[in-house]
Amino acid sequence: MALGPRLDLRQSQSLVMTPQLQQAIKLLALSNLEVETFIGEALDANPLLEIGEVAPPEVVEGAPEELRRTHLETSPVDQLVAEGRVAEDRPLDIDASALDRDRDTGDGGLVDLSSSRDFTGSGGEGPDIDERGRFEETLAEHLHAQIGTTTSDAQLLFVARWLIDQIDEAGYLTIPLGEACTALGLSMVVVERALGLVQSLDPTGVGARNLAECIALQAKEADRYDPCMARLIDNLELVARGEVARLKRLCNVDDEDFADMLAELRSYDPRPGMRFGGGMGEAVVPDILIRAGKDAKGNLGGWDIAINQATLPRLIVNRSYYVEMRGACVSKEAKAWLGEKLADANWLLKALDQRQKTILKVAAEIVKQQDGFFRHGVAHLRPLTLKTVADVIAMHESTVSRVTSNKYLHCDRGTFELKYFFTSGVGSSDGEGASAEAVKASIRQLIDAEDPKAVLSDDALVDLLKAKGFDLARRTVAKYREAIGLGSSVQRRRQKTLAGVR
């Protein structure tokens, strides 16, 4: 059979990921705050995009219809003057309410120095100086600020500062002293002296190499580091296991003294460095808002679901600016560039609108599937998968996954990540299945209510859960119990025994 070239005509289908499609997929997975950052970058790159007003401008009651149709972008100044609307002649388009008025000059209202904190003349209270935002001092900064006054020895000061940089956020030294000696090329004596300087700083316990040393430093500071307390600190693993009788024998103390020592031990901070550097935790900003809806008669029924517009700027295309620029474009390259920017702007508006519709569609189905949770709580959370939601709303499972990533929903019960509502199912007596989160909530409720003298075993939990309608094996109960951070019956009995020592 001879080989030779030939031409064939074939027809096939393929999915092409255009840059715009890739960008739309990326937008879908972003949270509202991330979309806000993306919009800010788009505003810098595209001169045709601008932020629109959230609320429409006020319309003067009784004004003729032709005056209401007058716009600042197209009205000459003379026409505004003739209409008696000189205040609307704002060539710089500055909102007077957005001006940062100088309080020292009294701009914006008189200041009553004899009364209050009303600096604006509007009756509101101005913020105190301690209410203003500030950067919180980190642990390293706090320690470096103190170490300079502890010694005049330049070598010791250098080693101490080097050790401070090796301390983690909890306040513990993360490097063995032998490695520090090797890294610095110094003797163990010098490094230990520098460590002693670091451990003398505030907060007490910082620079410790383990938990026992951290507690011992705090006990010494409180002048409670006697031989009995030293033996108790040296046997913290026995304290964790709740071996009270053995600890009393080791420390050679009676019940009253042991209770005092245990109370003192509980008062110490095992992570002294956590007071610094973390700053205040930022609250999660929800992307979706849900509240109970009302019917025509005012009775509760259904749910009102909305996108949180407070974190999502409203984009518009400045058509008048586009017309002005198009008239000034002479070359083909300039016209092509302007057309490309207009297409990009129109596509971004369409993509953002489609993103909101998709999020609302997915959120509405989640609320419908988990109606029991929103009405009655976590005990009524049902097992739910991405595929279930995707099939109902006729979308691909990957789309639902992107929508539920990095997005939070706020309702009367709190703020939850959308992924929270997708949980695996376990067997139940009614045959419908139960959510794993509902099972965990029931396990926690049973353990919190157990008698300290009759701690529930996993087998007992199985029987109690079965009475509630959950058909679970013992190993499944143990897995869920460990997942929510609850120890075994033996561990809980020891903890309750220690807690009972007063």
Side-chain angles (χ1 to χ4, degrees), residues 82 106 133 207 257:
D257 288 339

Side-chain angles (χ1 to χ4, degrees), residues 332-473:
K332 291 183 179 180
E333 291 80 4
K335 291 182 179 179
W337 176 85
L338 185 61
E340 180 182 349
K341 292 300 179 183
L342 179 62
D344 290 343
N346 288 329
W347 169 84
L348 182 56
L349 264 63
K350 183 179 179 181
L352 291 173
D353 181 65
Q354 185 62 39
R355 173 184 178 273
Q356 292 194 32
K357 291 179 180 178
T358 305
I359 292 175
L360 287 175
K361 198 172 184 179
V362 173
E365 185 58 31
I366 292 176
V367 173
K368 181 180 177 181
Q369 295 283 348
Q370 302 292 4
D371 184 76
F373 166 82
F374 292 101
R375 296 187 185 279
H376 307 294
V378 69
H380 293 78
L381 198 63
R382 297 174 51 191
L384 185 64
T385 62
L386 296 173
K387 188 176 186 305
T388 302
V389 175
D391 292 342
V392 174
I393 64 178
M395 289 185 177
H396 196 273
E397 188 175 346
S398 62
T399 302
V400 179
S401 177
R402 291 187 181 94
V403 169
T404 54
S405 297
N406 304 316
K407 305 207 178 42
Y408 291 84
L409 177 149
H410 178 76
C411 61
D412 292 338
R413 298 191 177 278
T415 302
F416 303 88
E417 190 178 8
L418 287 183
K419 292 288 188 184
Y420 173 81
F421 299 101
F422 295 89
T423 61
S424 57
V426 297
S428 63
S429 58
D430 56 9
E432 294 184 359
S435 167
E437 292 295 331
V439 176
K440 292 177 183 178
S442 297
I443 293 175
R444 182 180 292 277
Q445 183 181 10
L446 290 172
I447 291 179
D448 289 343
E450 68 185 355
D451 188 346
K453 297 181 180 179
V455 177
L456 299 173
S457 64
D458 289 342
D459 291 325
L461 289 173
V462 169
D463 296 336
L464 293 174
L465 289 171
K466 189 170 293 185
K468 287 190 170 189
F470 301 115
D471 187 12
L472 300 172

Side-chain angles (χ1 to χ4, degrees), residues 236-256:
L236 290 178
E237 68 280 358
L238 298 181
V239 177
R241 293 204 298 265
E243 299 186 19
V244 178
R246 185 177 176 185
L247 284 169
K248 286 192 290 187
R249 288 195 304 270
L250 286 172
C251 298
N252 194 22
V253 293
D254 56 18
D255 293 343
E256 184 179 356

Side-chain angles (χ1 to χ4, degrees), residues 81 93 127 253 275 334 445 452 482:
V81 174
D93 197 22
V253 293
R275 309 174 203 169
Q445 183 181 10
E482 293 172 357

Side-chain angles (χ1 to χ4, degrees), residues 11-170:
Q11 185 176 6
S12 63
Q13 290 183 337
S14 62
L15 179 62
V16 179
M17 293 286 289
T18 64
Q20 289 186 340
L21 181 58
Q22 294 176 10
Q23 198 68 265
I25 293 175
K26 177 183 176 182
L27 279 176
L28 198 59
L30 299 180
S31 65
N32 276 8
L33 293 179
E34 292 170 330
V35 169
E36 185 178 9
T37 302
F38 178 84
I39 288 176
E41 295 173 355
L43 288 170
D44 293 337
N46 196 330
L48 299 181
L49 287 173
E50 63 180 22
I51 298 293
E53 297 180 359
V54 177
E58 292 184 354
V59 178
V60 181
E61 286 295 329
E65 185 65 27
E66 59 270 20
L67 297 186
R68 297 183 185 183
R69 289 197 299 266
T70 304
H71 299 286
L72 291 178
E73 292 85 353
T74 57
S75 297
V77 177
D78 293 341
Q79 184 177 354
L80 293 177
V81 174
E83 293 171 357
R85 300 163 60 200
V86 182
E88 296 187 12
D89 178 25
R90 296 176 296 174
L92 298 180
D93 197 22
I94 298 177
D95 185 3
S97 63
L99 289 175
D100 186 10
R101 301 185 183 277
D102 188 349
R103 295 193 177 102
D104 291 338
T105 61
D107 189 11
L110 297 176
V111 181
D112 186 1
L113 298 178
S114 63
S115 62
S116 58
R117 302 155 54 187
D118 183 7
F119 295 102
T120 61
S122 59
E125 291 186 349
D128 285 337
I129 191 169
D130 57 353
E131 295 176 356
R132 301 183 183 274
R134 62 184 183 274
F135 294 103
E136 187 172 350
E137 186 181 35
T138 64
L139 176 62
E141 292 171 346
H142 182 71
L143 296 177
H144 279 300
Q146 301 175 67
I147 195 64
T149 60
T150 59
T151 181
S152 58
D153 189 327
Q155 185 185 54
L156 275 182
L157 190 60
F158 171 80
V159 177
R161 291 190 182 278
W162 187 88
L163 290 176
I164 288 174
D165 292 333
Q166 313 306 315
I167 293 176
D168 63 13
E169 61 180 7

